[in-house]
């Protein structure tokens, strides 16, 4: 996975509050048993904590940093994205939004950007207060993606993913898939409170996987505004393999087997390992969001 060395990164799309103190309140989910509960419920790669009634109450002000953020200081070009993890995430956000802006325009619509918030420990959002234990998530109430970079290490060490830059990119692109669903009105289907292999919650998550694949298919052909050239210049077969591996290890069946020693499809919220791989690859193979209808 390689970015154009000479491209300018747009750090305005990423808010870096790592190391900041979250004012007041209590975290939605902590470590230990609560963290395991979050995994069983399937919040990984999901939407805001309020979706499963885990919000701590009224939203509080977001954490703010007293000094310039690390990404603003250090992430300036594609060359930085090729050498630093946080800068790579900036580039992925830029590339993802470049594509969806073009796609909405092509379809006669208008894309509304969403920022990504990098945090450590816990963060306050319009969907409630959450800790890193819930995994990456999208909050539809403030249209932001929230991500603790420590999750990527856990994806490899705790869940057994092979890792790699594109596995990380897949996670981010999945969350932006939720943003697309929010803009198109599909995301609300997951709010019916139902769980299970055929629930709307699962269908919403699988569609977000498919949308991540659609971005990956088109990313190396989508021009970046700063250069007129694609920001992402290459994806290898190994990159795609790493992404598919990451999709599999966070399947509901894999997580349930690991955490509780048995698989209970009636409580699924994200889909099986096979389904997640299938829909990610469907998006990557076709490059067409119209082929991501998981509600048929």
């Amino acid at each position: 996975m390689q970015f154009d060395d000479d491209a300018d990164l747009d750090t305005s799309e990423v808010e870096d509050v790592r190391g900041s103190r979250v004012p007041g309140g209590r975290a939605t989910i902590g470590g230990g048993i609560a963290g395991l509960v979050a995994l069983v419920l399937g919040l990984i790669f999901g939407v805001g904590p309020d979706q499963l009634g885990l919000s701590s109450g009224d939203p509080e002000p977001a954490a703010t940093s007293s000094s310039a953020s690390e990404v603003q200081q250090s992430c300036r070009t594609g060359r930085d994205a090729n050498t630093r993890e946080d800068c790579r995430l900036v580039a992925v956000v830029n590339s993802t939004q470049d594509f969806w802006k073009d796609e909405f325009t092509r379809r006669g619509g208008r894309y509304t950007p969403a920022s990504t918030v990098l945090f450590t420990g816990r963060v306050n959002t319009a969907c409630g207060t959450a800790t890193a234990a819930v995994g990456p998530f999208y909050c539809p109430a403030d249209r932001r993606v929230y991500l603790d970079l420590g999750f990527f290490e856990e994806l490899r060490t705790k869940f057994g993913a092979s890792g790699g830059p594109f596995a990380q990119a897949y996670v981010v692109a999945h969350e932006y898939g939720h943003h697309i669903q929010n803009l198109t009105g599909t995301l609300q289907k997951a709010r019916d409170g139902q769980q299970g292999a055929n629930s709307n919650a699962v269908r919403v998550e699988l569609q977000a996987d498919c949308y991540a694949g659609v971005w990956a298919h088109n990313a190396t052909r989508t021009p970046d505004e700063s250069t007129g050239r694609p920001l992402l210049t290459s994806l290898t077969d190994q990159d795609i393999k790493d992404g598919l591996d990451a999709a599999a290890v966070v399947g509901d069946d894999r997580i349930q087997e690991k955490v509780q020693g048995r698989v209970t499809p009636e409580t699924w919220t994200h889909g099986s390992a096979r389904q997640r791989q299938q829909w990610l690859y469907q998006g990557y193979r076709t490059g067409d969001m119209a082929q991501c209808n998981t509600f048929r």
Side-chain angles (χ1 to χ4, degrees):
M1 183 176 180
Q2 190 78 12
F3 295 96
D4 181 355
D5 281 342
D6 297 324
D8 295 326
L9 299 184
D10 182 1
T11 57
S12 70
E13 295 184 344
V14 176
E15 183 180 357
D16 186 359
V17 298
R18 290 174 293 173
S20 301
R21 181 179 179 274
V22 178
R26 63 180 176 84
T28 301
I29 297 177
I33 296 299
L36 291 179
V37 170
L39 298 183
V40 173
L41 288 173
L43 271 172
I44 291 176
F45 300 4
V47 290
D50 63 331
Q51 291 291 93
L52 292 176
L54 297 173
S55 175
S56 62
D58 295 333
E60 301 174 26
T64 56
S65 179
S66 59
S67 60
S69 73
E70 183 70 16
V71 296
Q72 289 177 326
Q73 292 178 323
S74 304
C75 304
R76 300 184 180 277
T77 68
R79 182 174 289 105
D80 298 323
N82 288 323
T83 57
R84 286 178 56 118
E85 180 183 54
D86 51 0
C87 298
R88 181 166 62 242
L89 268 295
V90 174
V92 170
V93 170
N94 290 171
S95 174
T96 303
Q97 300 208 100
D98 282 345
F99 166 68
W100 287 115
K101 178 181 178 181
D102 285 356
E103 182 67 6
F104 270 56
T105 300
R106 186 179 71 83
R107 292 175 176 270
R110 182 177 181 180
Y111 176 70
T112 302
S115 60
T116 288
V117 179
L118 302 182
F119 72 97
T120 50
R122 72 176 188 176
V123 66
N124 287 324
T125 81
C127 294
T129 306
T131 74
V134 305
F137 65 92
Y138 170 73
C139 175
D142 58 23
R143 293 182 174 179
R144 291 180 174 180
V145 171
Y146 291 88
L147 175 64
D148 185 322
L149 294 184
F151 171 77
F152 295 130
E153 179 66 15
E154 292 189 351
L155 188 64
R156 187 178 62 82
T157 59
K158 292 186 179 180
F159 296 97
S162 58
F166 185 73
Q168 299 177 359
Y170 153 64
V171 173
V172 175
H174 173 100
E175 297 308 331
Y176 275 89
H178 285 312
H179 180 55
I180 300 307
Q181 293 171 324
N182 194 28
L183 296 179
T184 58
T186 307
L187 189 59
Q188 62 186 0
K189 293 183 178 181
R191 294 181 177 270
D192 61 8
Q194 301 299 309
Q195 297 180 347
N198 296 314
S199 66
N200 282 338
V202 167
R203 295 177 190 275
V204 162
E205 295 299 332
L206 295 178
Q207 186 177 65
D209 280 339
C210 188
Y211 285 165
V214 170
W215 160 74
H217 175 97
N218 292 283
T220 57
R221 295 189 291 272
T222 301
D224 182 67
E225 290 184 357
S226 70
T227 63
R229 302 187 302 270
L231 177 57
L232 182 62
T233 58
S234 68
L235 282 176
T236 67
D237 290 342
Q238 184 60 49
D239 289 326
I240 303 306
K241 182 178 179 181
D242 289 341
L244 291 169
D245 181 68
V249 300
V250 292
D252 282 327
D253 52 343
R254 296 276 188 94
I255 292 176
Q256 289 179 340
E257 182 66 35
K258 186 178 185 67
V259 174
Q260 62 189 26
R262 67 187 187 280
V263 176
T264 54
E266 64 273 14
T267 64
W268 286 2
T269 58
H270 283 59
S272 68
R274 184 188 66 81
Q275 288 174 313
R276 300 202 71 166
Q277 285 188 318
Q278 173 190 340
W279 282 102
L280 174 59
Y281 191 71
Q282 167 85 348
Y284 177 70
R285 180 180 62 83
T286 66
D288 181 5
M289 67 181 297
Q291 301 302 313
C292 293
N293 185 3
T294 57
F295 296 89
R296 289 180 295 188

